[in-house]
């Protein structure tokens, strides 16, 4: 990892952002697929998340 940082800050930063964006796209896609395949579990997860957000103190 340290080798990428030495090679030029801007290029490695842009590459890291691209990789991160790709990872987040794939993660979202996988989550959507899982929600379609297991709708009951997805609904339970949404309800749990909503409860967590309601009880969280800002």
């Amino acid at each position: 990892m340290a080798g990428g940082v030495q090679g030029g800050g801007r290029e490695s930063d842009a590459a890291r952002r691209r990789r991160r964006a790709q990872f987040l796209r794939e993660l979202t896609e996988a989550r959507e697929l899982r929600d379609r395949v297991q709708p009951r579990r997805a609904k339970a997860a949404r309800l749990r998340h909503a409860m967590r957000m309601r009880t969280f103190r800002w």
Side-chain angles (χ1 to χ4, degrees), residues 26-44:
E26 290 173 358
L27 183 66
T28 303
E29 185 181 334
R31 197 171 281 145
E32 288 170 356
L33 175 64
R34 189 182 62 202
D35 290 354
R36 280 197 305 273
V37 172
Q38 300 176 326
R40 186 179 298 166
R41 184 175 290 183
K43 182 179 180 185

Side-chain angles (χ1 to χ4, degrees), residues 6-49:
Q6 291 172 346
R10 271 195 193 296
E11 291 172 317
S12 64
D13 195 39
R16 186 181 63 82
R17 281 204 198 95
R18 264 195 309 277
R19 282 197 316 273
R20 182 173 186 271
Q22 177 69 27
F23 169 76
L24 292 174
R25 274 194 302 273
E26 290 173 358
L27 183 66
T28 303
E29 185 181 334
R31 197 171 281 145
E32 288 170 356
L33 175 64
R34 189 182 62 202
D35 290 354
R36 280 197 305 273
V37 172
Q38 300 176 326
R40 186 179 298 166
R41 184 175 290 183
K43 182 179 180 185
R46 274 196 311 273
L47 291 172
R48 276 195 308 274
H49 181 71

